Amino acid sequence: MGTMIEIVLAVIAIYVVFVAVKNVMPIVVSTIVVGGVLYLIFKLLGMLPWGGIGYFLLQLVAVAILLAVLVVIGLCLQQVCVRCKRVKIVVNGFFVLMAFYLLGTDDNVVWYNYIYFFVVALWSNNKLSMRGRVMRLIGHCKDVDMSDMFFFAGIATAMGTILIYQMNFTLLHSTWIYLVMAVVGIIWLVLADWEEYMKSAREVVGFLYQHGFLTAEIASDTLKKHRFTDANEIRDNILSRIESNDEFVTLSGKHQIIFRKDVLERIEIGVKERRDTPAIQADLKSKLEVDMIPSAIDAAIGALNVEVGQEYSPVNKGFMLIKYRFKANPAKAGSKKHRKVYYHTVRHIVETLTDDSEVYPQLWERLRSELNLPDTVAAEGYDIDKCVKELCNTGLTMQGFMRFVDVDNRYSALLEAFYLLDLREGHLKYDALQEWADRLRLRSNEIKIITEFLEMTFRPQSNLQAYIAEISDGHLRQGMEYLLRNIDWNRTFVNLPHYEVAVCAPMSSGKSTFVNAILGYDYIPSSNQACTAKVTSIADNDKLANVIGCTVTKDGQHHFSADVGHEMLQRWNENANIERVLLEGNLQTIESQKGVLVVHDTPGTNYAEDASHEKQTMDFLNEKSINLVIFIFNGQHTTTDDTDKLLTRITESVLDKQETEVLFLVNKMDAFDEENGDDIGDTLQKLREDLLTKNFVAPTVFPIAANAARIFQKALRQEQMTKRESREFAGLYEQFGVDGFDLTKPEWIGGTRPDKKLITIQSPKVTVNGKEYDSRVLEIAMQRTGIGVVAAYLDEKINGGKTA
């Protein structure tokens, strides 16, 4: 048995030398040379008659040679272990072979050799475990490799001492020789200490776990106190090992920063939810117990480059919420109980996650009606846990007599609830979405798809149809298709190019009256005083049956209304805390086919009682990208200081900086008395010449009668008029309809131009103040006010055409 073990050990020794000889060749050669020299000295000393002293010196030389050989064997063993990357298996295999040798040798083994063997084996195994942890965190470097060499030299020396003792060399029969060699082996093992490296690596990784991020500079500062001779290599190795771990992510910006993956995910959610840096910092502390400095958060935000800037504006989202319909809701096919469960679940999710009460009540009424539920359902009590349980009760369900329906509306409910919530809150609530997805028992891959789909719904250019086409799950796909059907027309409208028109004029030029006339409805308050106290914007949406609106207060808050009337507009206009009014409705005179007309009514700039009107107008024009400025003159006073001042400011602030066109309108032309000598053509020509001197090349100038057009529209729609409007109507009908006063003469409008029909006749006769009038004559009178020419001009601009 002992002979077999010796043969195995010999073979292993040969293999070790064969594998490692390349890396330790200099050491091997040096050892052979030194050993040869010592051996010659040893032989020479042995020829001298020195007695005991000479023999002692011979023994010292022999010990030195043996120790050198054992160290070389240890270094060879190290190279084998490093190459095969199975250090623990190789070393423990070596110890097992030694144990078999000791137990199977024919020679008697003294008891203290067993003790020494087991002490070294256990101690080495403990050191080996630490070495494995250090190598995983740091890897090889000069400092670590020195301890590595001591470790393998110690093993080889200790085990070699036992083997040499068992071989019983005559020259080495003295006990002190084996004691020295055994002590040297222990010393090598003591010197093989990785504790300092382990501690330093733990400190670096500990910083990463505690603070959520790590940089090379921080790692260097952490390692400085350990005073390693090769600290930079240790740092680079630690960072390399960390970067290869899936728990961490390295972001490249101005500097490379390593982040915990979960920390980075929380920061990304914070960015998407529009949180600022302090809010993200508080969220990390609350959710992950991570103390992260603001500069690291800012660096992560910069490196992540999360796409949030392309999402719809808060106003667009609010209007999209108001316009949302629950068409073809899949829950409608279910039982009354199931429809109630769907209604209560969607409503509960939204209402528990928002405080808004302006728009949602109307949505819930719309959902109730779509699901054919009774009026009392909103007031009914419900247990949300039971609702969720019922909603999760999926599969074939009997609906009626022998009719089975495959029901699974969890996806529709979750998609719809969080889409509606996002529209008002301004961002997707990721934590709440995850929580409700878990409650509805959705799988992780389904949650990921729903999250991505909801994110895409708020990016104007995302292709939702193509994304849905890749989904194989039938119920999930059904829910996504249902949501897309209800939001697609909204997205199409918002994605159309918007043609921005700013209407500017000094006070009392009839600006607000013109806006109401061109839009076909009294959107803007009008009187002889300065009526428009703030910028009011109106977007044309041909699919809306009523006007919806939003106000923006001085503190940046948005408030919405699903049905805006004249009285509400009046209150908004008078409210000093409101800075902007935004409306959306079907503008009767304009068609939104290839683009959307957005008309901005600006405050008059020469209102002596409120100097802020001029500032509001100019600030708006400077900040907003405008396609067209409509400048309105009072036909009775075309050249005034106020008019010239405003025109100059608009030219300097807008026209010289933007590619903005200008359309000049001369209002109140119906007040001209041609029989009394008023010359409309001369007035228009002088105005054109004056504009040429102000560097307006070939200015487009149209004469209009905005108030007449507005009153004629009200008559044709049979709307209630005030007594004053009724009196004015009679005279204007006579002037434009009977007498043929026409502001669309080619010589006045600069040639033949398209003239748009503004309103469809409902009946052959209209009644105003108890008197009947011919609708066709009234229609002709309407066209003669010049508003149809302006409407045609705008239509051509919006649809990409050119005016004649």
Side-chain angles (χ1 to χ4, degrees):
M1 180 69 180
T3 304
M4 289 298 298
I5 298 297
E6 289 172 357
I7 293 172
V8 172
L9 287 173
V11 171
I12 291 175
I14 293 170
Y15 173 75
V16 166
V17 173
F18 176 76
V19 172
V21 71
K22 291 183 180 180
N23 286 22
V24 294
M25 181 60 77
I27 300 174
V28 172
V29 172
S30 300
T31 303
I32 293 172
V33 172
V34 173
V37 173
L38 290 175
Y39 180 75
L40 290 175
I41 296 172
F42 174 78
K43 294 298 277 183
L44 290 172
L45 289 174
M47 296 177 184
L48 298 175
W50 283 14
I53 297 176
Y55 192 71
F56 176 72
L57 290 174
L58 288 176
Q59 288 180 318
L60 284 178
V61 172
V63 169
I65 293 173
L66 287 173
L67 288 175
V69 171
L70 292 174
V71 167
V72 170
I73 292 172
L75 296 179
C76 292
L77 182 62
Q78 180 207 20
Q79 292 302 312
V80 172
C81 291
V82 170
R83 286 193 180 193
C84 71
K85 297 181 181 178
R86 293 290 185 270
V87 179
K88 203 163 188 176
I89 295 175
V90 172
V91 173
N92 285 331
F94 178 71
F95 283 126
V96 169
L97 286 173
M98 280 295 300
F100 274 112
Y101 172 75
L102 293 175
L103 293 172
T105 183
D106 295 332
D107 300 324
N108 292 325
V109 182
V110 295
W111 62 271
Y112 45 80
N113 266 351
Y114 284 118
I115 294 176
Y116 181 67
F117 169 76
F118 285 112
V119 168
V120 170
L122 292 174
W123 192 16
S124 298
N125 197 63
N126 182 53
K127 291 259 182 186
L128 204 57
S129 298
M130 182 179 291
R131 179 191 183 278
R133 293 193 296 270
V134 170
M135 289 301 173
R136 284 193 294 272
L137 287 172
I138 299 177
H140 289 281
C141 64
K142 292 177 182 177
D143 282 332
V144 177
D145 287 348
M146 185 58 68
S147 287
D148 217 29
M149 293 176 186
F150 282 132
F151 175 71
F152 285 99
I155 292 176
T157 302
M159 295 300 102
T161 300
I162 296 174
L163 286 173
I164 292 170
Y165 185 90
Q166 290 302 123
M167 292 176 185
N168 197 19
F169 289 106
T170 304
L171 182 63
L172 304 174
H173 69 276
S174 300
T175 304
W176 70 267
I177 294 175
Y178 300 106
L179 184 60
V180 168
M181 293 180 66
V183 170
V184 170
I186 296 295
I187 291 173
W188 292 149
L189 289 175
V190 170
L191 292 175
D193 186 10
W194 292 280
E195 184 62 39
E196 191 73 10
Y197 311 114
M198 193 68 192
K199 183 179 178 182
S200 65
R202 283 172 176 167
E203 288 176 359
V204 173
V205 176
F207 184 95
L208 176 55
Y209 274 103
Q210 182 180 356
H211 299 280
F213 78 103
L214 180 67
T215 64
E217 291 76 12
I218 292 173
S220 294
D221 292 340
T222 304
L223 294 172
K224 277 181 182 178
K225 58 185 177 182
H226 295 279
R227 299 180 180 179
F228 296 126
T229 58
D230 204 3
N232 287 340
E233 188 176 356
I234 293 176
R235 177 203 64 195
D236 293 342
N237 285 349
I238 292 175
L239 295 180
S240 177
R241 291 298 192 278
I242 291 174
E243 288 175 358
S244 64
N245 193 320
D246 292 339
E247 294 183 30
F248 308 109
V249 178
T250 303
L251 294 183
S252 297
K254 186 176 181 181
H255 302 287
Q256 279 198 336
I257 307 179
I258 301 174
F259 288 91
R260 275 172 46 184
K261 191 174 183 180
D262 57 341
V263 168
L264 207 59
E265 289 172 351
R266 292 303 312 175
I267 293 175
E268 185 172 0
I269 288 173
V271 174
K272 290 179 178 179
E273 293 187 354
R274 305 301 199 280
R275 299 177 191 164
D276 55 16
T277 300
I280 294 175
Q281 186 180 29
D283 179 66
L284 291 173
K285 180 69 174 176
S286 171
K287 297 287 196 311
L288 302 178
E289 298 182 356
V290 168
D291 295 312
M292 182 172 284
I293 58 177
S295 59
I297 296 174
D298 292 337
I301 293 172
L304 281 170
N305 194 25
V306 181
E307 293 186 11
V308 295
Q310 301 205 356
E311 289 194 0
Y312 299 115
S313 69
V315 175
N316 278 334
K317 283 189 173 184
F319 282 167
M320 291 168 80
L321 177 62
I322 292 173
K323 294 179 288 184
Y324 186 82
R325 300 293 184 267
F326 300 87
K327 292 181 181 178
N329 190 297
K332 194 174 182 179
S335 64
K336 182 178 180 181
K337 178 183 179 182
H338 190 79
R339 282 179 278 135
K340 281 187 176 183
V341 163
Y342 187 96
Y343 172 87
H344 287 306
T345 302
V346 172
R347 182 172 179 177
H348 180 88
I349 292 173
V350 174
E351 290 187 341
T352 54
L353 294 172
T354 182
D355 297 327
D356 180 83
S357 59
E358 292 179 328
V359 179
Y360 287 115
Q362 298 177 50
L363 284 177
W364 305 141
E365 175 58 26
R366 203 175 293 158
L367 176 59
R368 181 204 65 75
S369 176
E370 177 66 22
L371 295 178
N372 295 323
L373 294 172
D375 295 342
T376 57
V377 69
E380 291 179 2
Y382 64 92
D383 185 330
I384 188 59
D385 291 330
K386 291 183 179 179
C387 288
V388 170
K389 183 178 180 181
E390 177 65 24
L391 204 60
C392 292
N393 187 19
T394 61
L396 290 176
T397 304
M398 181 177 286
Q399 305 289 342
F401 180 71
M402 297 300 293
R403 185 169 72 93
F404 292 91
V405 179
D406 188 10
V407 177
D408 189 352
N409 292 317
R410 295 175 298 161
Y411 308 101
S412 300
L414 192 68
L415 283 162
E416 192 158 60
F418 278 90
Y419 177 80
L420 297 176
L421 186 66
D422 188 354
L423 283 175
R424 191 65 183 98
E425 291 297 298
H427 57 78
L428 190 61
K429 290 183 174 288
Y430 292 87
D431 293 337
L433 176 61
Q434 179 68 50
E435 177 187 344
W436 278 99
D438 290 340
R439 292 185 69 175
L440 292 172
R441 304 174 192 171
L442 303 189
R443 298 187 295 269
S444 58
N445 65 314
E446 293 172 334
I447 299 172
K448 181 181 178 182
I449 291 171
I450 288 173
T451 302
E452 289 178 352
F453 185 73
L454 286 171
E455 288 177 340
M456 291 175 66
T457 60
F458 298 107
R459 297 190 189 124
Q461 305 307 321
S462 55
N463 191 339
L464 299 179
Q465 194 66 53
Y467 187 83
I468 292 175
E470 297 179 359
I471 306 303
S472 57
D473 187 297
H475 292 296
L476 175 56
R477 181 168 178 164
Q478 179 190 42
M480 295 165 72
E481 289 173 339
Y482 161 66
L483 183 63
L484 180 59
R485 282 196 301 271
N486 281 277
I487 68 176
D488 198 37
W489 73 284
N490 256 330
R491 285 167 50 83
T492 301
F493 172 78
V494 176
N495 291 344
L496 283 172
H498 284 44
Y499 191 76
E500 310 283 345
V501 177
V503 183
C504 304
M507 188 183 72
S508 300
S509 297
K511 174 175 55 61
S512 297
T513 303
F514 161 75
V515 171
N516 291 332
I518 197 67
L519 302 182
Y521 180 83
D522 283 351
Y523 290 93
I524 311 298
S526 59
S527 72
N528 289 328
Q529 299 297 317
C531 300
T532 305
K534 49 189 59 71
V535 176
T536 301
S537 304
I538 310 102
D540 179 31
N541 188 336
D542 295 340
K543 293 188 177 182
L544 284 181
N546 62 304
V547 178
I548 61 178
C550 169
T551 61
V552 184
T553 58
K554 290 182 177 179
D555 60 357
Q557 296 295 312
H558 295 78
H559 299 280
F560 293 87
S561 174
D563 192 3
V564 179
H566 187 75
E567 292 182 1
M568 181 176 290
L569 282 171
Q570 187 73 42
R571 290 197 304 272
W572 285 356
N573 189 60
E574 295 170 355
N575 189 337
N577 190 46
I578 295 176
E579 283 194 337
R580 284 283 308 279
V581 174
L582 301 106
L583 307 173
E584 190 176 309
N586 184 8
L587 310 184
Q588 302 295 325
T589 65
I590 305 297
E591 295 181 9
S592 296
Q593 297 175 348
K594 296 181 180 179
V596 176
L597 174 66
V598 184
V599 178
H600 306 283
D601 183 28
T602 62
T605 56
N606 58 333
Y607 185 39
E609 296 183 19
D610 193 344
S612 68
H613 285 200
E614 180 178 1
K615 184 178 185 304
Q616 287 186 57
T617 297
M618 300 315 302
D619 287 348
F620 174 78
L621 293 176
N622 284 324
E623 295 169 3
K624 187 75 175 177
S625 179
I626 301 296
N627 300 101
L628 175 71
V629 171
I630 296 180
F631 192 94
I632 301 178
F633 294 93
N634 184 333
Q636 296 173 304
H637 311 285
T638 56
T639 55
T640 65
D641 290 341
D642 289 332
T643 302
D644 290 344
K645 179 182 176 182
L646 176 58
L647 196 55
T648 300
R649 292 206 61 185
I650 290 176
T651 302
E652 293 174 350
S653 300
V654 183
L655 304 183
D656 290 345
K657 298 178 182 178
Q658 303 180 22
E659 294 183 3
T660 304
E661 297 180 275
V662 187
L663 172 64
F664 297 100
L665 303 180
V666 186
N667 194 20
K668 301 187 179 182
M669 299 305 290
D670 51 317
F672 276 58
D673 188 355
E674 292 184 291
E675 293 180 357
N676 200 29
D678 291 343
D679 191 333
I680 294 177
D682 183 61
T683 299
L684 295 173
Q685 182 59 34
K686 287 181 178 179
L687 179 59
R688 289 189 178 97
E689 291 173 356
D690 184 54
L691 291 172
L692 286 171
T693 64
K694 293 180 171 64
N695 297 321
F696 289 98
V697 180
T700 303
V701 181
F702 296 156
I704 61 169
N707 190 52
R710 186 184 69 85
I711 291 177
F712 289 157
Q713 289 182 57
K714 292 188 74 171
L716 287 169
R717 288 196 299 268
Q718 289 290 272
E719 291 181 7
Q720 184 68 36
M721 293 188 189
T722 64
K723 291 181 179 180
R724 179 177 178 176
E725 288 173 336
S726 298
R727 292 193 300 270
E728 289 180 344
F729 171 79
L732 293 170
Y733 180 85
E734 185 76 19
Q735 181 182 8
F736 285 90
V738 179
D739 296 342
F741 181 65
D742 189 359
L743 294 174
T744 65
K745 294 178 181 179
E747 61 268 26
W748 288 355
I749 63 177
T752 304
R753 290 184 175 273
D755 190 358
K756 184 176 180 180
K757 184 178 179 180
L758 298 178
I759 195 167
T760 303
I761 296 176
Q762 303 295 327
S763 60
K765 298 288 184 180
V766 297
T767 302
V768 178
N769 201 21
K771 184 178 178 180
E772 286 190 342
Y773 295 88
D774 190 321
S775 294
R776 295 196 177 277
V777 174
L778 185 55
E779 182 183 32
I780 294 171
M782 171 75 185
Q783 298 306 119
R784 289 171 175 169
T785 63
I787 293 297
V789 174
V790 179
Y793 179 92
L794 292 175
D795 260 353
E796 290 173 342
K797 291 292 183 183
I798 295 168
N799 295 316
K802 296 181 179 179
T803 55

